[in-house]
Amino acid sequence: MDKITVPKVKHFKGKKIITALTAYDFLTARILDEAGIDIILVGDSVGTTIQGLSSTIPVKMEEMLYHTRIVKRGVKRALVVGDMPFLSYQTSQEDAIRNAGLFLKEGAEAIKLEGGEKVAPLIEKLVSYGIPVMGHIGLTPQSVNLFGGYKIQGKTEKKKERLITDAKALEEAGVFSIVLEGMPEEVGKEITESVSVPTIGIGAGRFCDGQILVITDMLGMDPMFTPHFVKKYRDLYEEIKSAVREYIEDIETQKFPSEEHVFHAKKKEE
Ligand code: KIV
């Protein structure tokens, strides 16, 4: 087992395509880790996927720390990255350092935060205190209100240039990788070629240094959410529903429990 570390992820650029998925619990994290994923992100997407929220904005620090703790218990090899929720790093450098540090205390080996040039001084500070940072630009979900919805970013020349400037500022500030979310493939490619740190794409085309998806999306657990950029590897929504229906029927027809599932008392005293 070759433990994935922050320097290794940096070193992968141009040598190995980075694989990443989100996870929010122990069992899922253990499965992803055993399958050989490089990075497990404890994403604030926990809000929309697990908590039933319509955005990631209400997700709280204590919830993120809880999910980081239980994910970490399932992981031996992958790099675990904790996602800083809305308002955990925007209020002050002190808040950001404290909150980022709390992720590390729960076992995360790095944190991720959203934003470009504006958050670069903060990232520099975090890195100087030994906290590895993954950047995140493009369709950053915590800015959904500013964007007026989950809209693809960087579509005009000016906006593309903005994203390239942001990516370079993050690189300069010391991030070890950058998530590129929701942008034209050409923009993802140009950013990837403009920075020396690996880019990890989600809806950012084929030319990033790695790819990440939300675990519940790629497993097909939510039939109401099928964005264009997601490949559904399974239809777990239907799989689980049909298993539960079978279970209900088995109980009602007294097929379960059967002889193989029951305990028996000793026949006579020994
Ligand atoms: O929270 C999350 O799952 C993310 C990924 C989409 C990159 O930020």
Side-chain angles (χ1 to χ4, degrees):
M1 186 199 64
D2 203 10
K3 173 78 186 106
I4 305 294
T5 61
V6 163
K8 271 189 191 155
V9 169
K10 257 180 111 170
H11 193 67
F12 283 158
K13 183 150 181 130
K15 297 184 184 73
K16 178 206 178 303
I17 299 177
I18 298 162
T19 60
L21 279 168
T22 67
Y24 317 103
D25 67 280
F26 162 75
L27 272 182
T28 311
R30 191 170 69 183
I31 295 168
L32 304 192
D33 195 53
E34 283 182 12
I37 204 82
D38 295 323
I39 298 176
I40 295 180
L41 172 70
V42 187
D44 65 352
S45 51
V46 69
T48 46
T49 57
I50 304 296
Q51 298 176 342
L53 297 167
S54 58
S55 86
T56 58
I57 290 169
V59 175
K60 297 182 181 72
M61 250 319 276
E62 63 258 36
E63 293 164 349
M64 291 307 301
L65 294 179
Y66 166 74
H67 286 284
T68 303
R69 191 181 317 142
I70 62 175
V71 160
K72 183 65 182 180
R73 288 182 195 143
V75 180
K76 291 197 176 98
R77 175 185 173 272
L79 185 82
V80 175
V81 180
D83 203 5
M84 306 249 333
F86 185 63
L87 280 197
S88 68
Y89 57 97
Q90 294 93 337
T91 43
S92 70
Q93 277 201 356
E94 289 71 24
D95 286 350
I97 294 163
R98 186 175 303 104
N99 287 325
L102 290 174
F103 272 100
L104 264 58
K105 282 179 182 284
E106 295 296 352
E109 293 150 296
I111 59 96
K112 176 174 83 57
L113 55 82
E114 298 183 6
E117 199 171 18
K118 198 155 180 248
V119 292
L122 170 62
I123 290 173
E124 215 172 316
K125 201 63 158 183
L126 291 169
V127 175
S128 78
Y129 285 124
I131 301 170
V133 179
M134 174 184 271
H136 186 169
I137 57 171
L139 200 184
T140 43
Q142 291 173 17
S143 299
V144 62
N145 292 311
L146 200 64
F147 299 148
Y150 295 96
K151 295 181 178 158
I152 298 302
Q153 300 297 301
K155 278 175 145 179
T156 63
E157 190 61 23
K158 201 167 156 210
K159 287 181 176 161
K160 178 191 83 176
E161 290 306 327
R162 176 72 254 164
L163 287 177
I164 294 173
T165 305
D166 283 338
K168 286 183 174 166
L170 295 183
E171 175 191 22
E172 186 75 15
V175 297
F176 71 95
S177 59
I178 308 172
V179 169
L180 305 183
E181 179 165 0
M183 60 184 69
E185 180 171 77
E186 300 74 22
V187 179
K189 183 171 188 282
E190 209 169 319
I191 295 173
T192 301
E193 287 165 356
S194 306
V195 293
S196 63
V197 291
T199 60
I200 302 173
I202 172 162
R206 291 164 288 184
F207 303 105
C208 300
D209 297 304
Q211 297 289 335
I212 183 163
L213 281 178
V214 168
I215 185 71
T216 48
D217 294 347
M218 63 85 80
L219 291 178
M221 294 188 75
D222 184 357
M224 310 300 281
F225 189 68
T226 47
H228 173 67
F229 63 86
V230 171
K231 178 170 174 183
K232 276 196 183 185
Y233 287 83
R234 294 292 184 277
D235 187 353
L236 280 202
Y237 182 84
E238 282 306 326
E239 279 284 315
I240 294 172
K241 199 159 76 175
S242 82
V244 173
R245 280 186 177 144
E246 236 176 86
Y247 171 71
I248 293 169
E249 196 184 316
D250 274 4
I251 294 173
E252 288 175 349
T253 57
Q254 293 186 302
K255 276 196 206 136
F256 176 80
S258 62
E259 174 60 27
E260 64 185 301
H261 304 115
V262 300
F263 302 106
H264 290 291
K266 283 182 185 160
K267 291 239 164 54
K268 55 182 179 197
E269 287 303 319
E270 279 159 12

